[in-house]
Amino acid sequence: MSNNDKLKAITDEIYIDADTAYNILKDIRRLFRLNPYYEIKNFKEISADTYEMLLRNEANKFEEKQVIRVTRYNADKKISIEYDSNSGMKTITTFDIQAAGKGIKIAAEDSFDLSKISDKEKTSEIIDRTIPYWLSQIRSYLKLLEKKTLLNEIKLFYKEKIWLEMSPFGRRVAKLILILTVIETLFILAILAGYRFIFR
């Protein structure tokens, strides 16, 4: 990568309107918690459109106090996030909600300043490459809004009230517990079915 390089990603079509997606993404606290590699240990608004957070990035193992400045382009449905300092050399992140077919697509882009990296061979270890995974989680969240069903509403409630408040480690533990619970339930059902088959 050369100085001021960029990483980009874009979703497939999501069948909701642009206003709905924009209203969700412009909540910056929620937006950052949707990144599956970010642990937000502290988050507060320090002035209009300026936020301070203690962020740990599990992807590159950096932890730092970060001040971000957010610009929301309401008419264009675009959000720009500028970083005061970042160990991953990231300077700006943008999310652009674009009309597409019957719904929208979301394009995301990270811009970097690599001029301060002295050892170019360590660039891959330093750079925050989480943007495609971040966008994937945003897509999964918004997909739950495509159809208003009871199951989707339960999933949204769980994501909003429980999942997004967990650390990445906590989410992995929760997934493991869920998988073990399903396996245990299936095992018990198999035993009961076998018992009934043998002794019927």
Side-chain angles (χ1 to χ4, degrees):
M1 297 175 75
S2 58
N3 290 358
N4 299 312
D5 252 306
K6 301 178 186 293
L7 288 176
K8 301 178 181 181
I10 190 167
T11 66
D12 57 3
E13 190 172 350
I14 305 169
Y15 298 103
I16 62 174
D17 63 87
D19 285 332
T20 299
Y22 179 70
N23 287 334
I24 288 171
L25 297 190
K26 73 179 183 180
D27 181 335
I28 300 303
R29 183 179 184 274
R30 179 197 284 132
L31 179 60
F32 270 85
R33 288 185 180 276
L34 280 166
N35 188 312
Y37 289 97
Y38 287 176
E39 180 178 356
I40 313 298
K41 295 186 175 182
N42 187 36
F43 187 95
K44 63 182 179 180
E45 185 173 2
I46 55 178
S47 63
D49 300 319
T50 303
Y51 305 85
E52 181 183 273
M53 61 183 169
L54 180 59
L55 184 149
R56 183 177 189 275
N57 185 342
E58 284 203 347
N60 57 17
K61 308 304 180 186
F62 287 134
E63 180 175 326
E64 64 186 348
K65 184 176 287 186
Q66 181 64 260
V67 175
I68 59 173
R69 289 178 173 80
V70 179
T71 304
R72 300 174 179 88
Y73 301 91
N74 296 331
D76 296 329
K77 304 294 183 289
K78 185 176 179 179
I79 298 164
S80 176
I81 302 165
E82 295 184 50
Y83 303 87
D84 265 12
S85 62
N86 191 284
S87 300
M89 304 302 168
K90 185 159 59 175
T91 56
I92 299 174
T93 298
T94 60
F95 293 94
D96 186 8
I97 300 168
Q98 305 168 354
K102 296 180 180 179
I104 60 164
K105 290 184 178 181
I106 302 175
E109 180 178 284
D110 275 340
S111 298
F112 301 88
D113 178 6
L114 307 184
S115 61
K116 298 177 183 177
I117 300 179
S118 55
D119 188 348
K120 299 302 179 182
E121 292 183 359
K122 292 188 176 181
T123 297
S124 61
E125 299 175 14
I126 297 172
I127 291 301
D128 180 353
R129 298 180 181 273
T130 63
I131 195 70
Y133 308 101
W134 193 355
L135 198 56
S136 176
Q137 288 300 308
I138 290 170
R139 173 192 174 276
S140 296
Y141 186 98
L142 295 178
K143 280 285 207 181
L144 294 174
L145 300 171
E146 288 183 333
K147 293 182 180 179
K148 192 172 183 180
T149 65
L150 178 59
L151 180 58
N152 280 353
E153 289 183 4
I154 291 171
K155 288 180 178 178
L156 275 171
F157 179 84
Y158 176 74
K159 276 190 176 257
E160 188 71 27
K161 302 300 182 181
I162 300 174
W163 190 257
L164 292 182
E165 299 302 318
M166 292 181 182
S167 67
F169 176 75
R171 293 174 189 177
R172 290 196 296 272
V173 171
K175 276 185 179 179
L176 180 60
I177 291 172
L178 179 60
I179 291 169
L180 291 176
T181 300
V182 170
I183 292 173
E184 183 180 15
T185 302
L186 292 174
F187 182 68
I188 292 171
L189 289 174
I191 291 175
L192 291 174
Y195 180 85
R196 290 186 63 185
F197 178 76
I198 294 171
F199 294 100
R200 67 178 180 177

